[in-house]
Amino acid sequence: MKRVLSAAILGLVLASCSSAPEPAPPPPPTTPTAPPAIALPAKPPVAQAEKDQCGLKDAQAFVGKPRTSLPAPVDPSRWRVACTTCPVTMDYRADRLNILFNADTGVVQEVKCG
């Protein structure tokens, strides 16, 4: 019993003799702040003719109609007719009209420039 008591006392003495001070706790994190807002210059109004370079306004009439109602022959340099799931090139041309139809039904679902 004396041995156990001696070992316990020795352990307490050694633990209390620790000379290394505890490091100070780190400072609390600061909340980042957003940079000040920058006023962007206003864009000049775009003329309606520039927005509709591909003839989108007139082509809206094809939406909901079968693709067989499209005028033939189609000019491939200005129109692209493809199904909605068909692969097409991703090059953008503002003057090209894309007419997309459902492959199962053949009904035009979307027209867009590009």
Side-chain angles (χ1 to χ4, degrees):
M1 183 69 142
K2 272 185 165 179
R3 259 184 150 171
V4 173
L5 187 58
S6 302
I9 292 173
L10 180 64
L12 285 174
V13 170
L14 289 176
S16 66
C17 291
S18 172
S19 63
E22 285 190 32
T30 59
T31 304
T33 57
I38 299 172
L40 298 175
K43 292 184 180 180
V46 180
Q48 184 64 23
E50 289 181 24
K51 284 185 180 179
D52 195 16
Q53 290 181 355
C54 69
L56 182 62
K57 189 175 184 181
D58 296 330
Q60 290 293 334
F62 296 130
V63 175
K65 294 183 180 175
R67 71 179 176 142
T68 55
S69 68
L70 297 173
V74 173
D75 180 7
S77 68
R78 303 266 310 160
W79 284 22
R80 174 166 49 191
V81 180
C83 69
T84 54
T85 57
C86 294
V88 294
T89 60
M90 295 303 295
D91 62 319
Y92 180 81
R93 288 188 30 215
D95 65 332
R96 178 176 50 204
L97 178 68
N98 291 297
I99 302 172
L100 304 173
F101 63 91
N102 184 312
D104 296 328
T105 63
V107 174
V108 175
Q109 290 187 325
E110 182 182 7
V111 292
K112 61 183 180 179
C113 292

